[in-house]
Amino acid sequence: MTINELAAAIDQLRIDVLRSNPPLIMTSSEVADMLKVSDETMLRWRKDGVGPKFSQPNCRIVRYLRDDVVAWMEENQ
């Protein structure tokens, strides 16, 4: 196994672990990984007001509560 293959396997394992046990407070990238969408989709959803509820204490920080993401997923099955 090459270093690149090992790095890819580690990245996939990280995604799988986060998806199965996400943190209570999540970044946009973590939510994107959980929902299997791109970061650009998350940005578009925030702009359009159609994605999960989020908090934005300043222009650089966006956070999601795990319970809000799960509730949004259940509402939009």
Side-chain angles (χ1 to χ4, degrees), residues 31-54:
V31 175
D33 288 342
M34 180 180 172
L35 299 176
K36 297 182 181 181
V37 299
S38 68
D39 289 331
E40 291 79 17
T41 297
M42 296 300 298
L43 176 61
R44 189 175 67 250
W45 285 352
R46 284 194 304 273
K47 286 184 175 182
D48 295 344
V50 296
K53 187 173 139 184
F54 65 94

Side-chain angles (χ1 to χ4, degrees), residues 20-39:
S20 65
N21 188 25
L24 293 176
I25 300 173
M26 304 166 67
T27 66
S28 184
S29 293
E30 290 170 336
V31 175
D33 288 342
M34 180 180 172
L35 299 176
K36 297 182 181 181
V37 299
S38 68
D39 289 331

Side-chain angles (χ1 to χ4, degrees), residues 56-70:
Q56 190 168 13
N58 65 41
C59 64
R60 292 184 167 187
I61 297 174
V62 176
R63 294 294 183 262
Y64 295 82
L65 294 177
R66 177 180 57 198
D67 293 343
D68 291 340
V69 175
V70 170

Side-chain angles (χ1 to χ4, degrees), residues 5-24:
E5 292 171 338
L6 185 58
I10 290 171
D11 286 341
Q12 185 59 48
L13 181 60
R14 181 187 63 79
I15 290 169
D16 292 343
V17 167
L18 281 175
R19 195 173 295 134
S20 65
N21 188 25
L24 293 176

